[in-house]
Amino acid sequence: MKMMHMAHCVTLVQLSVSCDHLIDKDVGSKSDPLCVLLQDVGGGNWTELGRTERVQNCSSPEFSKTLQLEYHFETVQKLRFGIYDIDNKTPELGDDDFLGGAECSLGQIVSSRMLTLPLMLKPGKPAGRGTITVSAQELKDNRVVTMEVEARNLDKKDFLGKSDPFLEFFRQGDGKWHLAYRSEVIKNNLNPTWKRFSVPLQHFCGGDASTPIQVRCSDYDSDGSHDLIGTFHTSLAQLQAAPAEFECIHPEKQQKKKSYKNSGTICVKMCQVETEHSFLDYVMGGCQINFTVGVDFTGSNGDPSSPDSLHYLSPTGVNEYLTALWSVGSVVQDYDSDKLFPAFGFGAQVPPDWQQYFVLLLLTDGAVTDVEATREAVVRASYLPMSVIIVGVGCADFEAMEQLDADGGPLHTRSGEAAARDIVQFVPYRRFQNAPREALAQTVLAEVPTQLVSYFRAQGWAPFRPPPPAAKGPAQAPQA
């Protein structure tokens, strides 16, 4: 199956960097550090994304210049931070002293809110007591304009009926009118009430409450030749004075009839600017994404010893489902603090209790602690490879359920049945046969941010705002 590339940028983030206990390379003084950010672009290649300023004579710098990059939830974005002692004006780093580096993923940074890593001169060789601390902040204007609008006594436009009115809001910019919002059509009604709607503030008025706004009310026609009922001009500042009424004026009627008053009244019942929380607001507020594996044991999957079965285990012990497990899990694991991934079997009956759901892997502290180990454990256990993956959000209240371990004794674990109550994505992998690993993960996870935000918004839950960390004192000299 041909897969479509779905790596959409969720948002833009900026990284703030500080270091502690850098090694000294300058004789008679401290180092003059600078931080370089690189991103893995595949094939063992790294590309530079940006640099901080150089801080003079400081072993514990807090860099003022932030590093910006696009954040994609559905991919693993490997980053490398390099700290260099800069003693010349050339941009090349080959002639500068390396003070240490650290690697991590962007997902680790945003899910930790603040991540501290040891600096390494090379694998296995620490750069003294040096550490690097990285924190992330989302760059966005997350305000939205939310409105409730109704109309009264609109003109009748249809010969055999009333009117089918809808609204359009236009903002003025560059000498033109740009459509910012179009409402739904309300059939055969001269006193319509439209659904509450929200529009990003930047899109609605460019972030400026005084920007001219034109509102047009029209009668819908299926052939596209909509009839203008009337229009009026306003601004966000005036709309926010709601409740407010505006006369809907048809220019031609106004010119032809001296007795003409209006073609109806548009009533703005509510207009307010609100903050719309983003996916990263919730993640940085501590939201966890749980990763659960479900293995389908039904006979319809075919004999796993046959190459024709989607569950076929090749001599290498790998197939498409195991690749899918690794691909999706390698992304999600950055958002799961305990790095423990429950795995269940279903679609079979296991003696002696013949349970419909049963434990595939017993995950306890110190057992399976990452995606790769989960994948290897599935192979070692000779169980059929995964055909379904479950990605859940939040802290679910999983019920304990008695299962059987390998020796037949009882144990307590999360039940697959309980896990299914907290599902965001339940994805059968038959659709993704022969899909590239990266495209598969991107396709499966692309909608998770939207689903998560929609769910919390429907519940009326705002993200948790942890208190800011204690500020570091100004222990550095001005930059060169």
Side-chain angles (χ1 to χ4, degrees):
M1 177 184 294
K2 184 178 180 181
M3 303 299 301
M4 293 184 65
H5 185 71
M6 298 183 66
H8 302 297
C9 173
V10 174
T11 189
L12 190 68
V13 299
Q14 67 177 14
L15 304 180
S16 299
V17 181
S18 63
C19 297
D20 279 307
H21 307 296
L22 296 180
I23 56 179
D24 293 330
K25 289 289 187 176
D26 293 344
V27 178
S29 66
K30 298 178 181 179
S31 297
D32 304 325
L34 169 149
C35 179
V36 179
L37 173 63
L38 302 101
Q39 182 170 352
D40 183 7
V41 293
N45 298 314
W46 296 78
T47 185
E48 182 176 325
L49 299 182
R51 302 182 183 190
T52 67
E53 79 280 10
R54 180 183 70 157
V55 178
Q56 251 186 332
N57 197 29
C58 185
S59 58
S60 295
E62 186 169 0
F63 301 102
S64 62
K65 182 181 178 181
T66 58
L67 304 168
Q68 297 183 11
L69 69 161
E70 292 182 348
Y71 164 78
H72 301 267
F73 166 73
E74 66 275 13
T75 60
V76 178
Q77 295 174 261
K78 294 181 180 179
L79 303 179
R80 175 184 291 170
F81 296 87
I83 309 299
Y84 292 86
D85 176 25
I86 306 298
D87 289 320
N88 54 57
K89 296 183 179 180
T90 63
E92 291 77 17
L93 298 172
D95 55 354
D96 296 304
D97 292 322
F98 182 57
L99 304 181
E103 293 184 14
C104 64
S105 71
L106 183 55
Q108 287 176 282
I109 297 173
V110 299
S111 62
S112 301
R113 190 166 174 260
M114 181 172 289
L115 183 66
T116 299
L117 299 168
L119 290 171
M120 310 294 290
L121 294 174
K122 60 182 180 180
K125 185 178 180 180
R129 296 187 299 132
T131 61
I132 182 171
T133 299
V134 185
S135 61
Q137 182 179 6
E138 187 175 6
L139 292 176
K140 64 184 188 306
D141 185 343
N142 57 352
R143 294 173 296 171
V144 296
V145 179
T146 301
M147 298 179 63
E148 290 183 5
V149 184
E150 63 183 16
R152 291 197 299 266
N153 304 319
L154 295 178
D155 283 355
K156 175 184 174 181
K157 289 292 184 178
D158 294 339
F159 179 71
L160 297 177
K162 297 178 180 179
S163 290
D164 305 322
F166 67 95
L167 293 176
E168 292 176 307
F169 290 76
F170 297 84
R171 73 175 185 278
Q172 191 178 58
D174 302 324
K176 301 178 181 178
W177 291 103
H178 304 274
L179 180 64
Y181 175 76
R182 179 183 290 119
S183 76
E184 77 279 12
V185 176
I186 297 182
K187 291 287 188 177
N188 201 34
N189 195 326
L190 300 181
N191 298 283
T193 298
W194 289 277
K195 295 178 182 178
R196 176 185 292 200
F197 64 91
S198 296
V199 185
L201 180 66
Q202 193 68 27
H203 184 60
F204 188 76
C205 62
D208 184 354
S210 64
T211 295
I213 301 293
Q214 182 189 79
V215 183
R216 295 172 61 91
C217 182
S218 302
D219 171 46
Y220 174 81
D221 288 322
S222 58
D223 62 0
S225 58
H226 312 309
D227 298 317
L228 177 66
I229 296 176
T231 183
F232 66 92
H233 291 79
T234 183
S235 66
L236 175 60
Q238 293 176 345
L239 293 171
Q240 284 183 289
E245 293 188 359
F246 301 89
E247 289 188 328
C248 207
I249 303 298
H250 193 293
E252 293 183 2
K253 286 187 176 182
Q254 190 179 43
Q255 290 180 358
K256 291 180 180 179
K257 298 181 181 179
K258 293 183 179 180
S259 60
Y260 175 80
K261 292 185 177 181
N262 58 57
S263 295
T265 303
I266 302 296
C267 308
V268 180
K269 299 168 61 179
M270 183 271 285
C271 177
Q272 58 189 29
V273 177
E274 303 174 318
T275 297
E276 186 174 60
H277 300 298
S278 69
F279 175 67
L280 281 185
D281 285 332
Y282 289 103
V283 169
M284 292 180 178
C287 176
Q288 296 286 300
I289 300 179
N290 306 125
F291 181 63
T292 301
V293 177
V295 177
D296 184 2
F297 282 80
T298 56
S300 61
N301 290 303
D303 184 353
S305 64
S306 170
D308 296 331
S309 171
L310 289 176
H311 286 228
Y312 173 64
L313 276 177
S314 68
T316 61
V318 179
N319 68 10
E320 294 158 16
Y321 291 144
L322 289 172
T323 300
L325 169 64
W326 186 91
S327 300
V328 177
S330 62
V331 174
V332 177
Q333 68 174 350
D334 286 341
Y335 306 86
D336 192 336
S337 60
D338 62 10
K339 299 293 187 291
L340 299 178
F341 311 115
F344 302 94
F346 63 92
Q349 291 181 314
V350 178
D353 289 351
W354 309 103
Q355 297 283 350
Q356 182 179 1
Y357 289 94
F358 49 91
V359 175
L360 179 61
L361 295 172
L362 173 60
L363 301 183
T364 57
D365 290 343
V368 179
T369 57
D370 59 36
V371 170
E372 186 64 28
T374 304
R375 175 180 173 277
E376 292 175 359
V378 172
V379 175
R380 288 198 307 269
S382 298
Y383 283 110
L384 300 183
M386 178 187 76
S387 63
V388 171
I389 211 164
I390 298 172
V391 179
V393 300
C395 301
D397 183 18
F398 292 108
E399 297 177 356
M401 173 181 177
E402 280 200 354
Q403 298 290 350
L404 298 175
D405 63 15
D407 299 323
L411 60 89
H412 292 274
T413 185
R414 297 172 174 175
S415 71
E417 196 169 12
R421 292 200 299 267
D422 202 43
I423 292 172
V424 169
Q425 292 278 55
F426 187 82
V427 185
Y429 271 88
R430 292 179 185 275
R431 311 200 321 248
F432 304 115
Q433 187 175 8
N434 299 322
R437 178 185 296 175
E438 293 78 10
L440 189 150
Q442 291 165 7
T443 302
V444 172
L445 297 174
E447 297 303 317
V448 169
T450 301
Q451 291 179 347
L452 186 148
V453 172
S454 298
Y455 174 73
F456 285 137
R457 188 181 300 153
Q459 299 296 321
W461 296 341
F464 174 67
R465 301 282 187 186
K472 277 181 76 173
Q476 63 197 43
Q479 75 177 71

